[in-house]
């Protein structure tokens, strides 16, 4: 397990009782370096959507728990937020919850001169993701996908 994965896993464990006490769920946790700064981001969710008070409550409790445990030696910025409407589908649990919904896929390399595709998420496994574009099923190797997220429909 990498240092990043270790920090994310430990943070997720600290978050479990906090989100349960606040009526929200964990969507994702990420520890990333952007420029010269490290960010520890916790994305929370609930069926009716999170509000600023949910984020504030979870942020305060998580900050206190992180201070107590003190397992991240680097200086970092803690952020707690909603995953948003066009949420990135990083994990199998995100994909499973999104079956039947419209998604956008961006590839690392073009297929037929195109790097972006949209359609209904039909299925997935450890190797591929299948979407339906109109009447056509299109299969993508997961290793070729740079980003998959829910489509924003306005």
């Amino acid at each position: 397990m990498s240092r990043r994965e270790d920090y994310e896993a430990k943070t997720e464990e600290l978050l479990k009782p906090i989100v349960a006490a606040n009526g929200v769920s964990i969507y994702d946790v990420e520890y990333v370096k952007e420029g010269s700064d490290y960010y520890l981001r916790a994305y929370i969710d609930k069926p009716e959507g999170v509000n600023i008070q949910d984020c504030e409550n979870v942020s305060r409790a998580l900050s206190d728990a992180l201070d107590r445990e003190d397992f991240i030696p680097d200086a970092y910025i803690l952020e707690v937020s909603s995953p948003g409407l066009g949420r990135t589908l990083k994990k199998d649990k995100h994909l499973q919850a999104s079956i039947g919904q419209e998604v956008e896929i961006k590839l690392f390399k073009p297929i037929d001169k195109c790097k972006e595709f949209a359609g209904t998420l039909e299925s997935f496994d450890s190797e591929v993701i299948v979407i339906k574009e109109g009447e056509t099923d299109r299969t993508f190797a997961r290793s070729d996908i740079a980003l998959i997220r829910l489509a924003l429909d306005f």
Side-chain angles (χ1 to χ4, degrees):
M1 183 179 288
S2 72
R3 180 177 73 141
R4 176 189 58 80
E5 292 169 326
D6 184 48
Y7 294 167
E8 290 171 354
K10 286 180 178 176
T11 301
E12 194 161 327
E13 284 304 309
L14 289 178
L15 257 177
K16 287 179 180 178
I18 295 168
V19 298
N22 285 278
V24 297
S25 62
I26 301 168
Y27 184 79
D28 200 11
V29 173
E30 66 180 8
Y31 182 75
V32 295
K33 184 173 185 180
E34 294 178 1
S36 61
D37 295 321
Y38 286 96
Y39 291 84
L40 179 60
R41 294 189 176 113
Y43 297 98
I44 60 173
D45 203 9
K46 65 182 180 185
E48 63 275 15
V50 298
N51 59 42
I52 193 75
Q53 191 64 54
D54 295 323
C55 293
E56 183 179 339
N57 293 342
V58 170
S59 180
R60 288 180 193 273
L62 179 57
S63 180
D64 290 345
L66 288 164
D67 287 347
R68 277 191 310 276
E69 297 296 321
D70 198 27
F71 57 84
I72 303 175
D74 308 307
Y76 60 89
I77 298 163
L78 175 63
E79 295 179 350
V80 176
S81 69
S82 161
L85 294 175
R87 57 191 61 193
T88 302
L89 307 175
K90 294 181 182 179
K91 299 178 178 175
D92 284 354
K93 68 179 184 177
H94 302 151
L95 291 166
Q96 186 61 47
S98 301
I99 296 286
Q101 296 186 39
E102 293 294 312
V103 297
E104 297 171 347
I105 293 178
K106 293 186 181 185
L107 303 176
F108 290 112
K109 295 182 221 168
I111 295 175
D112 300 328
K113 299 182 182 177
C114 191
K115 287 178 75 173
E116 296 184 17
F117 298 86
T120 303
L121 180 61
E122 291 290 308
S123 64
F124 70 95
D125 62 29
S126 61
E127 302 293 320
V128 299
I129 290 178
V130 179
I131 65 169
K132 184 174 280 298
E133 287 182 307
E135 296 300 314
T136 306
D137 281 352
R138 190 179 276 274
T139 302
F140 300 93
R142 286 180 81 159
S143 59
D144 292 340
I145 297 174
L147 174 75
I148 181 169
R149 67 177 173 211
L150 290 180
L152 296 176
D153 188 22
F154 291 102

